[in-house]
Amino acid sequence: MTDFATRLFIDGQFVDGQGPAETAYEPALGKPLADVPSASLDQVDQAVRAANGAYKDWAKRPPKERSLALLRIADAIEARVDQLAATESRNAGKPLRFVRGGELANVADVFRFFGTAVRNMPGPASGNYRSSKMTSLMRRDPVGVVAQIAPWNYPLLMAAWKIAPAIAAGNAVVIKPSELTPLSLLALSEIFAEVLPAGVVNVVCGNGPDVGNALISHDLVRMISLTGDVRTGRAVLQAAAGPMIKRTHLELGGKAPVIVCEDADLDKLVDTLREASFYNAGQDCTAACRIFVHQSLAQKLTDKLETMITSLVYGRPERDDVEFGPVISARQLERVEGFVSRARGEGADVIQGTPADTEGFFHTPTLVAAPITAEIVQKEVFGPVLSLTPFNDVQEAVDWANQSEYGLGSSVWSRQAEVAMEIANALEYGVTWINTHGVMATEMPHGGMKNSGYGSDLSMQSLLDYTQVRHLMIG
Ligand code: NAD
């Protein structure tokens, strides 16, 4: 059934998983793509021990050497972009042109950025802070073995966000991709095998409760980094409070509000939402998924959104014209449909694009007009679904946004800089865009507040998160 790499990567070797196989699907067809044997608990232990052995030497390599390895990884990703993009597109249901041109370019850029950043670690100057006879200096050392747990929505990009800063800083990692989308990371491991010393990166596959839990609970793990659900974040915090206390880095869910003021440029907004709400079929933790609009603009915006939604092109990922593909699984499709049908049941107005004319896990783009208390406005849907709720004054919209359990992405739309800045300053969100939404820069931190987690991905901040600060004093 498979032309894909399906073996685990442990201590520099590709090995067959000895646990039960998980089936990876092709969501655009709704059919199995490959069976991937999971790691046994023994293999998880071997991977952690391999990382623990490898990091001691890797940590001692000068930053220049680690940097060169990351730059080589980036070059190799670009050289193999076709194979990696095809694998990612089929397993995650992403339009091939976006994976090839956008996501894979970002993956390479992330390795390149952290390869450069590690040679530019910031910190106070060494000096005589207590007396002329006492010299202080600050070191940033790696943390040790980092257990990393990745989600299915951007399998390679999220893996890159985790692996690149961790190994640049001198740590060694054991990463577990989502059981739904392991194939692209296993393909990327061929590059790790060529470039990195054995054990610096290890990849184990399998489900969360068995393989993931064994990994994050291992006593030799010093830090756990998760991108995933809030519930999984709680499991990580429990594992981190075991016999050996572990550091944690959590990137969890989101429910991004889009606050549209009375003077907003609606055409620019709708053009932006076309991508910011529907890219990756809305399965994005910062997707612009709930609009709070000044009541004077509600009807006009609804009309414009209806025109946009009914013109969105979605379908098979290999087509050159599609803007998004299927959702990840039959379960996710059912979940998204459940939100929309419950909203309908509560009397919400629902506007939808044309139904999908193909098999696979496709959900039609959807706009739901709903009150702030509606489930669809409060809970993370993670599908091509947008809600719209009118507000009376801006303070009401800010209060609604801040009452959320989430605090990851948000945006404010106003033509007046001082109004937009005042709202942005008041929002309890890790990322706030003004007159745009969803645009990332590798140099800038990405992370959440409240139930969206803490710790930064991307930027120098992420590199620092994967280091341990130490003070050395010479008396
Ligand atoms: P998930 O939490 O179900 O799965 C994420 C990973 O955690 C998978 O690899 C899974 O196997 C593993 N896992 C599950 N239970 C575990 C356990 N008990 N111990 C160890 N590992 C376990 O999330 P998902 O469905 O794959 O991803 C979607 C979620 O991720 C959404 O909530 C989304 O918002 C969030 N997300 C957040 C960001 C961000 O930057 N904040 C980015 C992407 C996705």
Side-chain angles (χ1 to χ4, degrees), residues 149-150 152-153 176 179 208 227-229 232 251-253 285 380 382:
I149 306 279
W152 46 259
N153 58 343
K176 189 193 85 58
E179 55 275 40
T227 299
D229 201 68
T232 314
E251 297 285 348
L252 309 176
C285 48
E380 188 181 47
F382 235 53

Side-chain angles (χ1 to χ4, degrees), residues 148-154 158 161 176-180 206-216 226-233 235-236 250-254 283-286 328 331-332 380 382 406 408 440 446-448 452-453 457:
Q148 305 191 313
I149 306 279
W152 46 259
N153 58 343
Y154 293 91
M158 293 302 106
W161 284 16
K176 189 193 85 58
S178 164
E179 55 275 40
L180 300 179
N207 68 17
D210 299 319
V211 179
N213 185 53
L215 173 57
I216 63 178
L226 164 75
T227 299
D229 201 68
V230 179
R231 193 189 24 164
T232 314
V236 163
L250 304 176
E251 297 285 348
L252 309 176
Q283 302 166 116
D284 186 312
C285 48
T286 60
I328 192 70
R331 189 161 156 252
Q332 187 66 10
E380 188 181 47
F382 235 53
Y406 294 113
L408 186 58
M440 311 264 177
H446 174 82
S452 293
D457 280 324

